[in-house]
Every structure is written in C-alpha cells, then in structure tokens.
Amino acid sequence: MQVHVLGSAAGGGFPQWNCNCANCDGMRKGALNARARTQSSIAISEDGEHWILSNASPDIRAQLAAFAPMQPARAIRDTGISAVLLMDSQVDHTTGLLSLREGCPLDVWCTAQVHEDLSTGFPLFTMLEHWNGGLRWHEIPCRDGEAFTIPCAPALRLTAIPLLSNAPPYSPRRDKTHPGDNVGLFIEDRRSGETLMYAPGLGKPDDTIVRWMERADTLLVDGTVWRDDEMRQREVGTKTGQAMGHLAQSGPGGMIELLDRLPAKRKILIHINNTNPILDEDSPERKVLTEHGIDVAYDGLHLDLQGGG
C-alpha cells in the first residue's frame, strides 16, 4: 500500500490567503521555519499506478501537478485517478471535483449523508451531470465493521468508521451529528497485513473509534488546532475546535494524550489549521510533538507501507 499526502492543511491552506495571524504573516515574511501547505487530501494505491483520491480539495490542480503518478501519460487524455473517496461533504474536501470535470464520468465513493449534501445544499452531483455523465455514486457502507473494496485496489480492504464530528453549514444535520456525516477510513493491505487509519476530522474519539485506532500500524489523524480556543486566542474567529468538529492536540483528553496510549508504529497529524503553532518547526509546541513521537504531515509526504517497518 502506498499513501501520498497531496495536501496537509485545513481549509484555506497555509498561509491562508486573507489571514495575517502570526503564522501566516511570518511565513510570508520568511520569518517562520515552516512549509507552505495546500488543503488536505491524500492518494492511496496498491500498485503505484491506479490511485484512489481521498477528498478533492480546491487545490487539486496544483496537487496533481506536483505528483507525477497522477499523470502517467498512457493516452492523449489520461489520469492516475481511478476513483474518488470522500470523507465528508465539507467545501475544502469536495470543491476540487469541479476542477476534475474534464475527467467525467468519475466514480465517487461516499456515504448516503454526504451524497445528500452534495445533491442538495451544495449540489455538485447535480451540477456535474452536464459533463459527460458527471459523478457516478457508489455508497460507502457506514455500519459497524462492514468493509468494502474499490475495483482499482482489490487488495485493500476498506472500512468507514463513523466519526463524532460536524456536518457543513449547508447540511440539515449541522450541529446534529449523524453517523455518516464524517467518516474515518481504516485500510488493511491484505497482502502485507499493513494497516492505516485516516481521520482528518476527528472531534470526539469514542470507544469504538479508539478500538479501530488501536489496530492501526500507521495513524494519519486530525491535527487542526493545538488549543480548543485557538481561533479566539489568535484573534481570527470565535469558534472552538470542538464546534468545528476537531479535537485539540493539547490539554486533558487531547490528541497527544490519546496518541500516547496507542501502539501504532507511526503517528502523523494532518489537516493543520493556519493558526496552529506546530506549523513553526522551531516552536515549543512542535518540540512537544517530537518528544511524544508524533510527526506532522506535509505536502508530498509519501508512505510506502509494505509491512515489517
């Protein structure tokens, strides 16, 4: 199994185009030891040729251009994308579908709740019908432990794990969490036995979610904010991390405390908000992560998970 991080930032990317917080301003001025990041998305493959695009961010064109296997050039019109898998219906995880319209029809895997949001409040499925048939929906089962496969990667056994997070503002289930609004993805490579848990939006890890995280060799999980009140502290907003559906890294019950209890060989944070001090590689907060054996994803991070290390 190969996993390539196309984008590692939260919505808006880093630096965010309209933000002058300490991180964004410092990045633009060259005063911060940090990497620019696009909005979160990963690509998954069992053979390095046929890829499942997990989330389609607004930065998708630049992300595909930066990863050569996405343009294998086997024909006049070609792409390495064989399927799209959506973890939720948020703008920063779905808007890139509009930029993929020349490649329609596209096979898109998502839950019934995500399909509903993207057919009504944010009707991408409806809009893209006008481009060669648009998006062909395949429902992701969102029942406890029910696995599925995607034809382009038959050796990868996928399980969608309902997450306690939030639906987007245009969803009728906003602030009324419903299983299927947001999922994590547990992936098992049946050839090597290697396992990965991907959860870029993780608000409240209940016992079920933790049990799945305990099984993963690699964790690629929510790293949005360091503190729950980070938006207020940085004077860029009023919402807490929990209100947005994200578990803060620091503090009692935070992501660091949770990851410390888990046996994964590698623990990586993704979906980093532009306000998060861990973007500064010289920050005290980044040092804390290093002390706890936790990495921070960056655009272009490539994981070749073959088992045994």
Side-chain angles (χ1 to χ4, degrees):
M1 169 169 49
Q2 297 184 45
V3 177
H4 189 84
V5 176
L6 297 168
S8 55
F14 174 67
Q16 185 171 306
W17 66 278
N18 68 336
C19 185
N20 293 300
C21 70
N23 279 351
C24 293
D25 186 54
M27 182 69 184
R28 292 192 188 95
K29 292 177 177 176
L32 204 71
N33 181 15
R35 305 175 190 235
R37 286 169 163 83
T38 57
Q39 296 168 90
S40 78
S41 173
I42 66 171
I44 306 157
S45 178
E46 73 170 50
D47 60 7
E49 182 178 2
H50 303 92
W51 294 84
I52 301 166
L53 177 67
S54 182
N55 292 336
S57 93
D59 300 314
I60 188 66
R61 186 183 181 282
Q63 292 171 344
L64 298 183
F67 186 43
M70 286 302 191
Q71 182 44 265
R74 298 162 297 194
I76 295 297
R77 288 288 181 105
D78 195 21
T79 177
I81 300 172
S82 296
V84 180
L85 190 157
L86 302 176
M87 312 290 284
D88 54 50
S89 53
Q90 299 283 354
V91 164
D92 51 317
H93 287 159
T94 59
T95 310
L97 290 169
L98 293 170
S99 297
L100 299 179
R101 61 191 179 276
E102 294 90 351
C104 288
L106 287 169
D107 289 299
V108 177
W109 298 74
C110 64
T111 66
Q113 289 78 20
V114 169
H115 180 255
E116 179 186 357
D117 288 344
L118 297 182
S119 300
T120 54
F122 185 31
L124 293 180
F125 274 87
T126 305
M127 288 188 287
L128 287 170
E129 287 176 359
H130 301 283
W131 279 269
N132 199 31
L135 309 176
R136 297 185 295 218
W137 177 44
H138 305 266
E139 184 176 359
I140 289 178
C142 200
R143 294 169 286 276
D144 185 35
E146 185 172 348
F148 64 101
T149 58
I150 293 177
C152 68
L156 301 184
R157 180 181 171 91
L158 311 174
T159 306
I161 315 300
L163 301 181
L164 299 175
S165 191
N166 208 346
Y170 40 81
S171 172
R173 296 172 305 284
R174 178 70 170 180
D175 297 325
K176 295 175 285 187
T177 303
H178 188 284
D181 289 329
N182 190 302
V183 299
L185 190 66
F186 185 86
I187 310 172
E188 179 184 6
D189 189 330
R190 290 184 281 193
R191 301 163 303 177
S192 67
E194 197 76 9
T195 56
L196 176 138
M197 175 84 170
Y198 176 50
L202 180 54
K204 297 177 182 178
D206 63 12
D207 291 342
T208 299
I209 295 166
V210 172
R211 283 196 295 271
W212 281 100
M213 295 176 77
E214 288 173 339
R215 295 178 54 186
D217 296 309
T218 301
L219 290 165
L220 189 57
V221 296
D222 194 332
T224 307
V225 293
W226 179 259
R227 304 168 42 133
D228 191 53
D229 63 349
E230 186 171 294
M231 301 290 283
R232 295 173 186 164
Q233 184 193 41
R234 295 280 186 160
E235 299 181 336
V236 297
T238 59
K239 291 182 179 178
T240 63
Q242 280 295 307
M244 296 185 291
H246 300 286
L247 178 67
Q249 281 111 62
S250 63
M255 186 65 77
I256 294 173
E257 186 176 286
L258 171 60
L259 293 180
D260 279 347
R261 294 163 27 208
L262 300 175
K265 292 181 289 189
R266 191 161 185 194
K267 304 165 184 179
I268 309 169
L269 300 177
I270 194 168
H271 197 270
I272 318 298
N273 200 55
N274 64 291
T275 55
N276 195 326
I278 66 173
L279 289 168
D280 180 355
E281 297 184 19
D282 297 328
S283 67
E285 292 84 358
R286 189 62 169 265
K287 183 179 179 182
V288 170
L289 292 183
T290 300
E291 291 170 348
H292 286 263
I294 301 170
D295 296 326
V296 179
Y298 54 87
D299 293 20
L301 174 64
H302 191 85
L303 304 174
D304 194 353
L305 306 176
Q306 301 300 329

Short mmCIF file of all heavy atoms in Angstrom, two decimals, residues 11 43-44 51 56 95 129 171 191 208 237 261 288:
data_model
loop_
_atom_site.label_atom_id
_atom_site.label_comp_id
_atom_site.label_asym_id
_atom_site.label_seq_id
_atom_site.Cartn_x
_atom_site.Cartn_y
_atom_site.Cartn_z
N GLY A 11 -8.84 23.88 5.90
CA GLY A 11 -9.45 24.77 4.93
C GLY A 11 -8.75 26.12 4.85
O GLY A 11 -8.44 26.72 5.88
N ALA A 43 -3.75 10.46 -1.59
CA ALA A 43 -3.98 9.48 -2.65
C ALA A 43 -3.49 8.13 -2.15
O ALA A 43 -2.47 8.03 -1.48
CB ALA A 43 -3.24 9.88 -3.92
N ILE A 44 -4.25 7.07 -2.47
CA ILE A 44 -3.99 5.73 -1.95
C ILE A 44 -3.91 4.77 -3.14
O ILE A 44 -4.74 4.83 -4.06
CB ILE A 44 -5.13 5.28 -1.01
CG1 ILE A 44 -5.37 6.31 0.10
CG2 ILE A 44 -4.87 3.90 -0.43
CD1 ILE A 44 -6.76 6.24 0.70
N TRP A 51 -4.84 5.04 -8.58
CA TRP A 51 -4.93 5.75 -7.31
C TRP A 51 -6.36 6.09 -6.93
O TRP A 51 -7.18 6.45 -7.78
CB TRP A 51 -4.11 7.04 -7.37
CG TRP A 51 -2.64 6.78 -7.50
CD1 TRP A 51 -1.95 6.52 -8.66
CD2 TRP A 51 -1.69 6.69 -6.44
NE1 TRP A 51 -0.62 6.30 -8.39
CE2 TRP A 51 -0.42 6.40 -7.03
CE3 TRP A 51 -1.77 6.86 -5.06
CZ2 TRP A 51 0.74 6.27 -6.27
CZ3 TRP A 51 -0.61 6.73 -4.30
CH2 TRP A 51 0.62 6.43 -4.89
N ALA A 56 -11.21 15.76 -2.48
CA ALA A 56 -10.82 16.56 -3.64
C ALA A 56 -10.81 18.02 -3.22
O ALA A 56 -11.85 18.67 -3.20
CB ALA A 56 -11.79 16.31 -4.80
N THR A 95 -14.70 20.61 -3.24
CA THR A 95 -14.76 21.60 -4.31
C THR A 95 -13.87 21.23 -5.49
O THR A 95 -14.13 21.61 -6.63
CB THR A 95 -14.37 22.99 -3.77
OG1 THR A 95 -15.12 23.25 -2.59
CG2 THR A 95 -14.67 24.08 -4.78
N GLU A 129 -23.58 16.68 -13.67
CA GLU A 129 -24.28 15.82 -14.63
C GLU A 129 -24.11 16.33 -16.05
O GLU A 129 -24.23 15.57 -17.02
CB GLU A 129 -25.77 15.76 -14.28
CG GLU A 129 -26.09 14.93 -13.05
CD GLU A 129 -27.58 14.99 -12.71
OE1 GLU A 129 -28.32 15.69 -13.43
OE2 GLU A 129 -27.97 14.34 -11.72
N SER A 171 -25.61 21.73 5.46
CA SER A 171 -26.25 20.44 5.70
C SER A 171 -27.39 20.59 6.71
O SER A 171 -27.26 21.33 7.70
CB SER A 171 -25.24 19.44 6.25
OG SER A 171 -25.89 18.25 6.67
N ARG A 191 -2.31 -8.16 1.41
CA ARG A 191 -1.08 -8.84 1.00
C ARG A 191 -0.03 -8.77 2.11
O ARG A 191 0.60 -9.76 2.44
CB ARG A 191 -0.53 -8.21 -0.28
CG ARG A 191 -1.50 -8.26 -1.46
CD ARG A 191 -1.09 -7.28 -2.53
NE ARG A 191 -0.99 -5.91 -2.00
CZ ARG A 191 -0.60 -4.86 -2.71
NH1 ARG A 191 -0.26 -5.01 -3.98
NH2 ARG A 191 -0.55 -3.66 -2.17
N THR A 208 -15.49 3.13 20.29
CA THR A 208 -15.44 2.43 19.00
C THR A 208 -14.32 2.95 18.13
O THR A 208 -13.54 2.18 17.54
CB THR A 208 -16.79 2.56 18.26
OG1 THR A 208 -17.83 1.97 19.04
CG2 THR A 208 -16.74 1.87 16.91
N GLY A 237 -11.20 34.40 14.85
CA GLY A 237 -12.54 33.83 14.85
C GLY A 237 -13.00 33.55 16.26
O GLY A 237 -12.27 33.79 17.24
N ARG A 261 -1.46 6.62 24.14
CA ARG A 261 -1.99 5.33 24.59
C ARG A 261 -2.02 4.29 23.48
O ARG A 261 -2.31 3.12 23.74
CB ARG A 261 -3.42 5.52 25.12
CG ARG A 261 -3.51 6.35 26.37
CD ARG A 261 -4.93 6.86 26.65
NE ARG A 261 -5.99 6.03 26.10
CZ ARG A 261 -7.20 6.51 25.75
NH1 ARG A 261 -7.46 7.81 25.86
NH2 ARG A 261 -8.12 5.70 25.28
N VAL A 288 7.21 19.53 21.63
CA VAL A 288 6.38 18.62 22.43
C VAL A 288 5.96 17.42 21.59
O VAL A 288 6.04 16.26 22.03
CB VAL A 288 5.15 19.35 23.00
CG1 VAL A 288 4.17 18.35 23.61
CG2 VAL A 288 5.57 20.38 24.04
#
